[in-house]
Amino acid sequence: LRFVRGLLRHGAIGRVLTVTATSRWGMPQAWWDAKGAGRKAWGWWTDARQVPGGAWIDHAIYAIPLTRYLLDDRPVRVSATMANVKYPRSRLPVEDYGIATYTYAKGARVTMEYDWIGQLGGWHMIAGERGSLRWGLDVPGDVVEMRDRKGVRRLKIPKWKEVHVLDHLLDALDHRRETVHPVAHAVENLRVALRAYAAAKAGRTLSV
């Protein structure tokens, strides 16, 4: 992601117009019975008494901070649809499919489409005024595909020196400073996600 953010910041594809983030996976599995089948093996994530939503928020809770990081921008409006496409509400009390489109302050439209029925994997696409970026699914994991006036190129992602999350946490505690993503960010991400559910229920675009 640092590599993609760098490309965007240096204007590799011009002003960002749209972002599409898609994940198509199977049903979540209970940690104690990942090989099981049927409702009993789905785990607590499908229990509406314990979670605010289903397939959509399962993935969007990660995509929302990711997109904010890539674009260095914040969402201001959202419209959404949540649905039970494969499993009826009588069997699955949360959605197995959801799609939401956020409008960001600088004008980019970001669409997040997620389900628990596709079994395909995930991918991202960013379209700009002068080209596009794509990664995931049929693009090798160590490259980002860029299309521009020079054609299609696969850019090798540099190998960064990784910092383990525990090392980062201990460093923050030792120096009495916030982590890169403090708890306040997590609370804000949840608020942004829940506005998509509110928009779907209202049947109209809402402010974020």
Side-chain angles (χ1 to χ4, degrees):
L1 296 180
R2 189 191 311 180
F3 180 58
V4 174
R5 185 182 184 181
L7 291 173
L8 296 177
R9 283 192 162 188
H10 286 90
I13 60 171
R15 183 172 65 90
V16 173
L17 304 176
T18 64
V19 178
T20 302
T22 303
S23 287
R24 303 197 179 282
W25 300 102
M27 293 298 297
Q29 298 297 301
W31 296 332
W32 59 86
D33 186 21
K35 295 181 180 179
R39 183 171 179 176
K40 289 184 178 180
W42 289 351
W44 62 269
W45 190 251
T46 63
D47 186 345
R49 297 169 299 179
Q50 301 185 63
V51 295
W56 187 80
I57 198 172
D58 183 18
H59 303 292
I61 201 65
Y62 305 107
I64 289 168
L66 180 152
T67 307
R68 183 181 296 230
Y69 171 77
L70 291 179
L71 301 183
D72 193 23
D73 197 7
R74 61 183 180 83
V76 293
R77 292 187 300 280
V78 63
S79 60
T81 297
M82 307 294 171
N84 285 64
V85 176
K86 182 175 181 179
Y87 300 101
R89 284 276 168 165
S90 59
R91 188 177 178 199
L92 178 65
V94 293
E95 82 283 351
D96 58 20
Y97 171 85
I99 183 169
T101 298
Y102 289 92
T103 300
Y104 277 62
K106 297 176 185 176
R109 301 309 199 268
V110 178
T111 298
M112 302 175 183
E113 183 181 23
Y114 304 123
D115 69 40
W116 280 339
I117 57 180
Q119 305 278 6
L120 290 174
W123 60 95
H124 289 79
M125 292 173 283
I126 302 178
E129 288 183 316
R130 298 195 302 273
S132 64
L133 301 172
R134 185 170 71 98
W135 68 96
L137 199 59
D138 60 339
V139 177
D142 60 344
V143 302
V144 172
E145 183 180 275
M146 183 166 77
R147 294 171 180 261
D148 58 15
R149 62 186 179 184
K150 297 179 182 178
V152 180
R153 289 172 288 161
R154 288 189 166 180
L155 308 178
K156 188 79 171 179
I157 299 173
K159 289 187 179 293
W160 310 104
K161 181 180 179 181
E162 297 294 334
V163 177
H164 194 280
V165 64
L166 290 180
D167 292 330
H168 174 58
L169 178 60
L170 290 173
D171 182 68
L173 290 171
D174 286 343
H175 294 89
R176 296 182 179 276
R177 60 189 179 204
E178 288 188 331
T179 56
V180 173
H181 296 287
V183 173
H185 286 193
V187 173
E188 174 63 9
N189 294 337
L190 178 60
R191 186 191 71 80
V192 170
L194 293 179
R195 288 303 284 169
Y197 284 93
K201 186 176 181 179
R204 59 187 177 87
T205 300
L206 297 181
S207 60
V208 173

